[in-house]
Amino acid sequence: MLVTFYGVRGSIPAPGPQTKKYGGNTSCVHVRLNNGQNIIFDAGTGIRKLGQKMAANEEPLLLILSHGHWDHIQGYPFFDPIYQKDRQINVIEGVEGNKVALHGLLNQMDGSNFPVHAVDLPSSIESIADVGAFLKQQPFSVTREGLNHPGGGFAYRIEEDGVSVAYVTDNELEPPGAPATSYGDWVDFCRGVDVLIHDAQYQADDMPAKHGWGHSLISQVRQLAVDAQVRNLVMFHHDPERTDSELDEVAIENAGFFGSANSRIGALIAAEGLTLELAARQDPRVSTVDLFEV
Ligand SMILES: [Zn+2]
Ligand SMILES: [Zn+2]
């Protein structure tokens, strides 16, 4: 299984000299399964570069949206495969019970917000109506859990050939009021996963102003990794104001935290172009970490 990051930023794209190292594009992660299937988590602006690679073949695509906020759909009009004739693209939307198929994803292509109308796309885009039944038919194991986020959404955990990855964004581990999913249930959901990709947008000094905005503190995510005994943690959905040097600081703090916790947990800061190769082997840490040029 290959996991590649094309967009790691939260809320809004944040290009510029201070975000060059980790990248300024919004959420998009490509999971390439051993069986050749392509799963794409979210269609933030990072999906543009992924689309250029995907347009080179005709493999079917499964796009899974965590939810429909702008930073998770805004790259879709620039995703090359949607302009390929009869290209099969299945989409799982983030919010269950949404009566309008592909509501945000395609409604932004209305001639007003974007010049091309969704109805004119030549590809074959299908919004999966019965998500539960569809996921059960897949040749890989998948579970999901409701996000603690304004408007809702879902986190996903995928397992294939003995390795697993969980994609958990946008999620506030300890929200004000009743959570959609309790902290204890998040620990269960993430338990023992090989790679946990988790929203880590905020630092302590963002609080209390942003309590309830639907994102987690870096410190909370570290604790979740320990409590769930994940093998590798990838901090994701960086705040648009978080600079490269600040994220480098977080990496240093991670090394201190996980070192002193005497854990074997690997900790990474998500960066555009980061590819993780997951294979079942004795060393639990990610076997190959590679950066490609985007
Ligand atoms: Zn977001
Ligand atoms: Zn959101």
Side-chain angles (χ1 to χ4, degrees):
M1 188 190 294
L2 291 172
V3 179
T4 305
F5 295 83
Y6 284 84
V8 302
R9 196 63 58 172
S11 304
I12 190 166
Q18 293 192 312
T19 56
K20 197 164 171 258
K21 178 176 175 183
Y22 293 96
N25 281 297
T26 52
S27 300
C28 181
V29 177
H30 177 219
V31 178
R32 171 88 179 174
L33 298 181
N34 293 337
N35 70 10
Q37 277 184 283
N38 295 294
I39 299 172
I40 301 163
F41 285 115
D42 284 328
T45 58
I47 203 171
R48 183 177 64 89
K49 278 284 174 194
L50 173 61
Q52 292 167 358
K53 289 186 196 284
M54 292 290 104
N57 61 54
E58 296 183 344
E59 296 166 353
L61 302 169
L62 173 58
L63 170 61
I64 300 178
L65 299 183
S66 60
H67 62 310
H69 286 166
W70 261 0
D71 52 322
H72 299 258
I73 64 168
Q74 218 168 11
Y76 197 65
F78 295 87
F79 184 49
D80 283 352
I82 67 175
Y83 300 99
Q84 291 182 299
K85 187 164 168 27
D86 299 328
R87 182 74 185 257
Q88 185 65 37
I89 304 170
N90 290 326
V91 181
I92 293 177
E93 295 199 81
V95 179
E96 202 148 36
N98 188 347
K99 295 279 192 289
V100 183
L102 297 174
H103 182 74
L105 203 63
L106 292 182
N107 279 5
Q108 65 185 324
M109 303 182 73
D110 62 354
S112 172
N113 293 291
F114 192 75
V116 178
H117 289 254
V119 290
D120 294 330
L121 293 173
S123 52
S124 178
I125 301 168
E126 184 182 349
S127 177
I128 304 302
D130 188 342
V131 175
F134 177 85
L135 292 177
K136 270 194 194 127
Q137 292 164 2
Q138 301 306 308
F140 53 88
S141 157
V142 55
T143 51
R144 56 187 190 147
E145 194 71 87
L147 296 170
N148 298 330
H149 196 62
F154 285 96
Y156 289 82
R157 176 173 174 154
I158 288 173
E159 318 221 17
E160 185 206 29
D161 295 344
V163 294
S164 52
V165 59
Y167 180 76
V168 189
T169 199
D170 301 16
N171 188 48
E172 185 163 4
L173 284 167
E174 292 175 14
T181 299
S182 69
Y183 182 78
D185 285 343
W186 283 120
V187 171
D188 288 341
F189 181 75
C190 300
R191 194 179 304 283
V193 74
D194 289 292
V195 172
L196 169 62
I197 301 165
H198 200 291
D199 176 331
Q201 183 155 345
Y202 294 147
Q203 289 280 31
D205 57 8
D206 289 313
M207 298 299 174
K210 296 177 180 175
H211 195 203
W213 287 23
H215 304 287
S216 290
L217 286 167
I218 285 168
S219 57
Q220 293 169 332
V221 178
R222 285 190 188 115
Q223 192 58 46
L224 174 66
V226 171
D227 292 341
Q229 284 300 292
V230 309
R231 297 189 162 190
N232 298 276
L233 168 65
V234 184
M235 292 184 170
F236 187 72
H237 205 270
H238 311 311
D239 193 273
E241 295 299 320
R242 200 79 61 219
T243 64
D244 286 339
S245 58
E246 287 171 338
L247 287 171
D248 285 342
E249 279 295 313
V250 172
I252 292 167
E253 290 164 13
N254 281 347
F257 177 86
F258 290 109
S260 63
N262 205 19
S263 72
R264 299 192 68 200
I265 299 168
L268 295 165
I269 310 289
E272 276 179 40
L274 174 68
T275 298
L276 310 176
E277 183 181 3
L278 283 66
R281 61 184 74 196
Q282 291 206 315
D283 183 349
R285 297 197 189 197
V286 172
S287 56
T288 302
V289 177
D290 191 23
L291 287 165
F292 72 87
E293 292 293 319
V294 290

